Amino acid sequence: MRTHYCGKLNYQDIGKIVKVCGWVEKYINLGKIIFLKIRDCKGSIQIFCDYKNNISFQQAKKLRNEFCIQVIGIIQKKIKTFKKTIEILALKINILNKSKPLPIDLYNNKNQDIRFKYRYLDLRCPKVLKKFIIRNKITSFIRKFLEKRNFLEIETPILTKSTPEGARDYIVPSRIYKNKFYALPQSPQIFKQLLMISGIDRYYQIAKCFRDEDLRSDRQPEFTQVDIEMSFVHSSKIRNIMEQMIKKLFKKIININLKKFKIITYDKALLLYGSDKPDLRNPLLIIELTQFFKKTKYQKYFYLKKNNINRVAAIHLPNKYLKNQKEIYKTIIKKNNKKKIFFIKFKNTNFKKIKIISNIKEIISQNILKEIININKIDNNDVLILIANEKNKANNKLTKLRFKLGEKLNIIKYKKWKALWVINFPLFIKNKENKLCCTNHLFTAPKNFILKDLEKNPEKIISDSYDLIINGYEIGGGSVRINNKNLQKKIFDIVQLKKKIQKKIFGFFTTALQYGTPPHAGIAFGLDRITMLLTHSKSIREVIAFPKTTAAICPVSDAPINLLLK
RNA sequence: GGUGCGGUAGUUCAGUUGGUUAGAAUAUCGGCUUGUCACGCCGGGGGUCACGGGUUCAAGUCCCGUCCGCACCGCCA
């Protein structure tokens, strides 16, 4: 049917007789000649039809946009152009299939409802398709990289077991056993650990995962993870290999040389950026001030509650960024004044008496000012914007404010790529009901811990964990795993998992841990998010062929539906 | 579950303070046109203004509710 792809023909092919197949992208009828543009997955080429060749001309007259056709013709240079461009002189045209006018405009469609309803047509647009070509390059590279280093790709079950903690599961009823259910995997976590016990040593899988939670622009209910696990390694080793992989990937796909990834601890990330996934393209930093405002009078002033763990901190705006500062005051400070946002502008830091302009002048003593200046590098005309609140809320606000100010001041280097590791997450975190939960998952190993502390002060224990953050997106995360039955059980106990459930849900796993489980660690990357970044897409949907809507509906097939009664 | 933004020809959009028969471009259909490349020219068809209610002499426009899409919070790594 076809000798060449439309997009692969070039100047060297002039004179050849070719057969091409594709869709009519453009149709211009000038009366006695007709120009067509025909598109296939590799590109498009112009077809020239002349009335002197009656057979092809009569066929060409019948064509309309998006008809699927075959053209047999001779490659020739375009007439009346100086550039080296070619076209096909049509000898014969076969209509393989007609098409109704499309319900979307392939080259100018902004309406997401309709684009994703007719996604199979949307994908005809070369720009849309290109993202999937890049996605394929990414997976292909990752496979080659890992296989070269002795990783073995092994598939784990899709029909598996529901587990407590973490996200809600997608549930599949069993036909054979009434009232019993499979769950779709949230990740292959337990199975890949079992594979380590098997002695697989290095495993990977490009794995579909499922989480029944609400969607976001970077979250879909089914998504793809690059899932990796290694035996006999410390966390630094796995980080090194993965850093190499991501660096080479960026070089290969977008020709970017990422600098050596910074490593910062979870605590420090919150201290400096208010977030455990900071965007380092934003140069603004946070200055810690909690220690200066411990006294009750300050707490009252800032409306802080006594029993909370509070944080007072400021975003430091160096004067070099403050050319449009009047506007900043207006938009940020005045609007938010009542919402506990305070500011200090340093007029004079050099002399004995420090001069400031501030809406909290009455509570800032010279001593405090001096200490702030001593600890931090603060110059004349620098501004601090303060936030005082319960620690988590304060961090949240600081993160948002840091971003907002970065945008307003136009200092975020959007064209750069900044990758970093955030390590040492706390092993446990308290939920709303004040109950201890694992920050990551139940199998994460504590780091440098003393058994007594684990029992008495579990909140102080950190885990041997690491997240990879690029431009503020969490694109991967992992940890060293527990490889000891007793320790694993201790963790279950600390998060108050009942003994019965421990046995019923995880019994097989704790049993397995007894048979010489090697030390092991792993990581999982969000393939969709990586692809989103590398294709400069705004949403994860752009890089998933048939994504769900925010209401978790498949716009193409309308799933989910009521079961059909047979 | 909550907050915000949006829904007008097939498509992309305009529609002022509520005021005559809801417009444009493009697509589509018919005619003309021998080198177009955003081809051009002439003509035709195409609308339950998401849906349902309310206010009003009068609603695409104002109000309420529902549905759908998107963003965010909760949720989730």
Side-chain angles (χ1 to χ4, degrees):
Chain A
M1 245 183 166
R2 167 165 71 192
T3 59
H4 295 78
Y5 283 110
C6 298
K8 292 287 179 187
L9 287 163
N10 57 47
Y11 207 70
Q12 278 74 43
D13 295 314
I14 286 178
K16 283 184 188 166
I17 293 183
V18 297
K19 293 182 189 175
V20 295
C21 295
W23 288 267
V24 177
E25 192 174 68
K26 198 190 253 176
Y27 172 85
I28 297 173
N29 187 338
L30 296 182
K32 290 188 174 168
I33 56 171
I34 293 171
F35 294 99
L36 304 169
K37 214 171 175 187
I38 172 171
R39 179 198 65 239
D40 65 19
C41 63
K42 302 289 184 193
S44 48
I45 189 166
Q46 176 164 287
I47 312 289
F48 175 68
C49 310
D50 195 327
Y51 75 103
K52 289 169 198 160
N53 188 329
N54 199 39
I55 302 169
S56 65
F57 190 72
Q58 290 308 320
Q59 281 294 84
K61 271 205 217 166
K62 296 178 196 165
L63 297 177
R64 291 296 179 269
N65 281 340
E66 297 303 320
F67 276 28
C68 182
I69 63 170
Q70 180 199 40
V71 178
I72 302 167
I74 303 169
I75 306 291
Q76 63 179 23
K77 185 182 181 298
K78 269 196 193 180
I79 295 166
K80 292 188 183 175
T81 43
F82 294 106
K83 290 174 191 169
K84 284 190 169 185
T85 49
I86 56 163
E87 65 184 8
I88 297 176
L89 172 64
L91 301 175
K92 200 178 173 197
I93 294 173
N94 291 318
I95 297 176
L96 303 174
N97 222 329
K98 292 182 177 179
S99 172
K100 284 170 69 173
L102 300 192
I104 61 173
D105 181 346
L106 291 190
Y107 303 96
N108 182 28
N109 206 314
K110 292 166 193 167
N111 189 328
Q112 305 222 19
D113 309 26
I114 301 174
R115 264 189 68 202
F116 285 111
K117 184 175 180 187
Y118 295 99
R119 179 63 151 168
Y120 48 92
L121 298 177
D122 185 45
L123 285 163
R124 284 188 186 174
C125 174
K127 270 189 188 170
V128 176
L129 176 65
K130 198 183 170 195
K131 301 193 172 185
F132 291 87
I133 295 169
I134 292 173
R135 186 173 172 128
N136 175 255
K137 277 186 187 164
I138 293 169
T139 48
S140 163
F141 168 82
I142 288 173
R143 285 206 159 94
K144 276 180 202 154
F145 179 94
L146 292 172
E147 271 156 28
K148 211 186 261 179
R149 287 159 184 79
N150 291 316
F151 285 81
L152 193 62
E153 180 163 28
I154 295 183
E155 289 161 85
T156 51
I158 293 293
L159 293 177
T160 176
K161 197 172 180 179
S162 180
T163 55
E165 296 235 332
R168 268 186 291 269
D169 288 312
Y170 275 99
I171 298 298
V172 181
S174 157
R175 174 183 60 86
I176 299 169
Y177 304 101
K178 278 183 184 172
N179 301 322
K180 291 196 177 185
F181 300 88
Y182 301 97
L184 304 183
Q186 295 185 24
S187 91
Q189 186 60 36
I190 290 183
F191 286 103
K192 69 173 170 177
Q193 288 190 242
L194 292 176
L195 290 173
M196 294 302 104
I197 300 174
S198 311
I200 296 299
D201 198 72
R202 291 183 173 198
Y203 142 97
Y204 85 98
Q205 182 183 188
I206 295 181
K208 264 285 174 82
C209 301
F210 306 85
R211 289 178 189 159
D212 189 2
E213 296 293 347
D214 284 346
L215 294 88
R216 287 286 185 282
S217 57
D218 62 351
R219 251 164 48 193
Q220 282 272 309
E222 59 176 300
F223 59 98
T224 308
Q225 248 177 224
V226 179
D227 196 47
I228 291 166
E229 198 76 10
M230 301 173 79
S231 290
F232 309 111
V233 290
H234 297 295
S235 50
S236 56
K237 171 86 178 178
I238 196 162
R239 278 203 302 271
N240 283 341
I241 296 178
M242 293 304 125
E243 186 165 331
Q244 259 187 67
M245 184 175 87
I246 296 296
K247 274 183 180 169
K248 287 192 172 182
L249 180 68
F250 271 68
K251 178 68 187 170
K252 173 144 185 124
I253 306 292
I254 53 171
N255 197 26
I256 292 289
N257 292 308
L258 292 175
K259 285 182 184 165
K260 183 164 173 49
F261 298 179
K262 274 189 182 171
I263 300 178
I264 69 169
T265 63
Y266 171 87
D267 285 341
K268 202 175 175 192
L270 289 184
L271 213 59
L272 288 178
Y273 309 105
S275 164
D276 59 1
K277 41 182 178 177
D279 186 346
L280 300 192
R281 294 174 303 171
N282 184 343
L284 295 177
L285 292 174
I286 292 168
I287 289 178
E288 183 60 36
L289 302 171
T290 309
Q291 67 269 30
F292 303 122
F293 300 103
K294 289 255 152 123
K295 287 182 188 167
T296 323
K297 60 171 181 178
Y298 297 131
Q299 304 266 312
K300 275 186 184 167
Y301 187 88
F302 288 125
Y303 304 103
L304 295 173
K305 286 178 189 165
K306 260 188 184 176
N307 299 328
N308 285 350
I309 301 169
N310 295 312
R311 180 174 191 196
V312 182
I315 294 185
H316 179 202
L317 304 175
N319 59 65
K320 62 180 171 181
Y321 299 140
L322 289 175
K323 284 169 192 167
N324 309 322
Q325 53 167 292
K326 276 186 184 170
E327 200 188 322
I328 304 286
Y329 284 137
K330 274 181 197 165
T331 53
I332 305 287
I333 296 167
K334 282 189 180 168
K335 274 188 189 172
N336 291 299
N337 208 352
K338 286 173 188 169
K339 295 178 187 170
K340 306 172 193 173
I341 291 191
F342 311 95
F343 72 95
I344 304 171
K345 181 174 182 181
F346 290 85
K347 287 308 282 182
N348 185 339
T349 58
N350 305 329
F351 297 98
K352 277 184 183 173
K353 187 171 181 192
I354 296 160
K355 283 185 181 172
I356 57 166
I357 300 171
S358 171
N359 61 350
I360 50 168
K361 218 171 179 176
E362 67 258 38
I363 64 157
I364 301 260
S365 69
Q366 281 291 314
N367 284 338
I368 291 178
L369 288 174
K370 274 175 194 164
E371 277 210 60
I372 292 173
I373 291 170
N374 273 341
I375 300 170
N376 306 285
K377 282 184 186 171
I378 290 175
D379 291 325
N380 289 345
N381 294 319
D382 283 10
V383 171
L384 300 187
I385 295 185
L386 275 74
I387 284 187
N389 211 319
E390 186 273 321
K391 198 176 176 183
N392 290 335
K393 283 183 186 170
N395 284 335
N396 223 322
K397 288 192 172 180
L398 286 163
T399 302
K400 281 181 186 161
L401 191 60
R402 184 172 162 266
F403 173 72
K404 221 190 245 178
L405 287 168
E407 283 244 293
K408 273 261 149 43
L409 296 168
N410 205 12
I411 50 173
I412 302 176
K413 292 162 188 158
Y414 280 117
K415 286 184 179 169
K416 295 222 166 174
W417 293 92
K418 297 271 189 179
L420 79 152
W421 292 103
V422 176
I423 63 166
N424 296 0
F425 284 72
L427 186 58
F428 301 105
I429 199 164
K430 273 190 177 166
N431 69 6
K432 276 183 183 171
E433 293 130 29
N434 223 22
K435 201 191 124 190
L436 281 178
C437 296
C438 286
T439 309
N440 196 322
H441 53 62
L442 292 160
F443 318 105
T444 306
K447 190 174 186 177
N448 309 327
F449 70 108
I450 303 163
L451 207 58
K452 273 184 194 168
D453 278 349
L454 191 55
E455 283 162 350
K456 287 181 183 168
N457 259 327
E459 277 183 272
K460 286 190 177 169
I461 304 283
I462 56 169
S463 62
D464 203 347
S465 55
Y466 32 85
D467 274 6
L468 179 57
I469 312 298
I470 297 182
N471 292 357
Y473 281 95
E474 182 201 332
I475 65 151
S479 63
V480 172
R481 324 297 187 188
I482 295 165
N483 72 328
N484 169 293
K485 182 189 169 187
N486 292 333
L487 179 57
Q488 186 64 70
K489 283 197 157 180
K490 186 131 277 166
I491 300 292
F492 290 156
D493 289 338
I494 291 170
V495 299
Q496 296 173 33
L497 204 61
K498 286 176 187 161
K499 293 279 182 195
K500 259 191 183 176
I501 293 179
Q502 285 185 31
K503 203 177 174 187
K504 191 172 179 186
I505 305 290
F506 297 116
F508 74 99
F509 182 62
T510 43
T511 300
L513 282 177
Q514 299 172 109
Y515 299 109
T517 305
H520 61 288
I523 192 165
F525 293 99
L527 178 66
D528 312 284
R529 280 187 194 170
I530 292 175
T531 311
M532 180 174 104
L533 286 180
L534 291 177
T535 56
H536 309 282
S537 305
K538 281 182 184 166
S539 159
I540 201 175
R541 277 189 300 273
E542 296 291 331
V543 299
I544 294 174
F546 298 103
K548 305 274 189 289
T549 68
T550 47
I553 285 167
C554 169
V556 177
S557 73
D558 279 335
I561 55 161
N562 295 322
L563 284 181
L564 300 170
L565 296 170
K566 285 178 185 171

